[in-house]
């Protein structure tokens, strides 16, 4: 990639969230004109071959409000129609993890 391509996708902020077998990346990037946008990446290691499979969505600032409304409404629907238990993961030095259930599931 040339310098132009790197500048177009300048990373401003990044948050990594480990959740069991998946890792989520929330990355704020800037366009050449300085506008921010969000990429959300899900990464999961395939057991059969050890390859990481990634899925990515791009969310632009003009869509933040509608996206947040839709996400909140969907999460509330699930929370009112099913018990949701968030698992807390503890990682050890050897890469193994165990879960701790936690009934406090909120966004």
């Amino acid at each position: 990639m040339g310098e132009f391509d790197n500048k177009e996708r300048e990373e401003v902020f990044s948050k990594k969230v480990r959740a069991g077998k998946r890792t989520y990346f929330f990355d704020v990037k800037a366009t050449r004109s300085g506008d921010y946008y969000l990429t959300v990446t899900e990464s999961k290691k395939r057991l059969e071959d050890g390859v990481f499979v990634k899925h990515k969505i791009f969310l632009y600032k003009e869509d933040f409000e509608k996206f947040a409304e839709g996400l909140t409404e969907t999460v509330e629907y699930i929370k009112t129609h099913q018990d949701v238990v968030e698992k807390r993961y503890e990682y050890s030095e050897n890469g193994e993890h165990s879960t701790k259930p936690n009934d406090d599931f909120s966004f």
Side-chain angles (χ1 to χ4, degrees):
M1 275 188 181
E3 186 177 333
F4 175 81
D5 293 331
N6 288 335
K7 178 66 176 165
E8 188 174 25
R9 294 186 182 92
E10 180 183 341
E11 191 169 289
V12 177
F13 175 82
S14 185
K15 174 71 177 172
K16 178 180 177 180
V17 177
R18 290 180 135 179
K21 296 178 181 179
R22 293 180 184 85
T23 301
Y24 298 96
F25 299 90
F26 299 91
D27 299 311
V28 177
K29 298 185 180 185
T31 65
R32 286 182 292 136
S33 62
D35 285 333
Y36 289 170
Y37 63 97
L38 170 67
T39 63
V40 180
T41 306
E42 174 208 33
S43 178
K44 183 178 179 183
K45 191 174 186 179
R46 279 194 309 225
L47 296 176
E48 57 271 11
D49 58 7
V51 172
F52 285 92
V53 177
K54 296 181 180 182
H55 300 95
K56 183 177 285 198
I57 64 167
F58 292 79
L59 185 60
Y60 300 94
K61 64 183 180 182
E62 61 267 21
D63 301 328
F64 287 172
E65 189 173 327
K66 292 292 185 183
F67 184 90
E69 288 173 7
L71 179 61
T72 299
E73 183 178 335
T74 304
V75 169
E76 287 303 316
Y77 177 86
I78 293 170
K79 288 168 62 174
T80 57
H81 290 86
Q82 284 188 338
D83 289 335
V84 178
V85 177
E86 181 179 356
K87 294 181 180 178
R88 298 285 183 190
Y89 299 91
E90 290 186 353
Y91 291 87
S92 65
E93 290 181 17
N94 64 7
E96 295 179 7
H97 65 272
S98 62
T99 60
K100 286 186 172 183
N102 183 345
D103 292 334
D104 182 23
F105 183 80
S106 58
F107 281 89

